[in-house]
Amino acid sequence: GWNIKPDMIVEMPNDFQVPASGAIEYQYMLVKGNFTEDRWVSAAEMRPGNSKVVHHGEVWVRPPGSKWMADAEVGVSYPMSKMKKQPSDEIDILGKFNPGVGAQDFVLDESAKFVPKGSDLVFEIHYTAIGKATTDRTKVGIVFARTPPRERYFTSYGPQASNLVIPAADGNAEVVGEITLQADAKLVYAQPHMHLRGKDYELRL
């Protein structure tokens, strides 16, 4: 069951066919959002259809006019290398799944997430093969805010360690990433994601 009481549930319209073995590129699937008006979201929960193969994932808000996934067909999975995000796009993570991370709420300091009218959703999923072919159809539950918020809650994917290089046998290789914000903001959440490659991290503002 859900850890929230969703007002809307959006599911991937088609299964992703997970191969039995090999590395699987991150997959992106465009899904129609059916947002007929601007909406504010107070909570979201991404639930894997098959938790054995979903390592982690995000559901992105793709606003009208976004260049990202502009040529994508609804319900078709595309590898990340063919559908790279556009840095200029104002795309926000609506909900996400990581082992140990449950439903997320966005109500701190009377905030909420903004979903513009006409937005679509993009399911981004990192799959892990388990030795036999299987399928997945993940979904997200959404709770709408009952009143307009005081602040907008926005989740960024940065900074990223796109220059990640760990020399062989080096137990202290340092990787640095940075991001510059274009507007005043308050940091309310941070989630390092290093798999088993990182032993510590430092965050500076």
Side-chain angles (χ1 to χ4, degrees), residues 44-120:
E45 182 177 356
M46 184 179 184
R47 295 187 66 88
N50 185 346
S51 59
K52 293 181 179 178
V53 293
V54 176
H55 180 274
H56 75 276
E58 292 86 22
V59 177
W60 295 84
V61 178
R62 182 186 175 277
S66 172
K67 296 178 182 178
W68 181 46
M69 303 284 284
D71 299 324
E73 291 185 40
V74 171
V76 175
S77 281
Y78 296 89
M80 180 173 62
S81 58
K82 293 188 177 180
M83 290 291 174
K84 291 184 178 179
K85 298 184 185 75
Q86 304 295 320
S88 59
D89 267 357
E90 190 178 307
I91 52 174
D92 187 11
I93 297 173
L94 183 62
K96 61 182 179 177
F97 169 79
N98 291 79
V101 175
Q104 299 98 55
D105 71 66
F106 316 116
V107 298
L108 185 69
D109 293 336
E110 301 176 52
S111 61
K113 281 189 173 285
F114 180 59
V115 181
K117 175 183 177 180
S119 292
D120 293 325

Side-chain angles (χ1 to χ4, degrees), residues 34-35 63 67 85 132-133 136 142 170 174:
N34 295 319
F35 296 100
K67 296 178 182 178
K85 298 184 185 75
K132 65 177 182 178
D136 169 69
I142 301 166
D170 186 346
E174 184 180 64

Side-chain angles (χ1 to χ4, degrees), residues 151-199:
E151 294 188 310
R152 181 180 178 183
Y153 192 116
F154 189 90
T155 308
S156 150
Y157 218 32
Q160 298 184 64
S162 56
N163 56 335
L164 177 63
V165 177
I166 303 175
D170 186 346
N172 283 299
E174 184 180 64
V175 180
V176 178
E178 64 179 32
I179 186 171
T180 301
L181 301 184
Q182 303 299 321
D184 289 341
K186 176 168 58 178
L187 178 65
V188 296
Y189 178 89
Q191 182 191 332
H193 189 92
M194 301 184 288
H195 291 222
L196 300 177
R197 300 177 181 88
K199 73 178 194 179

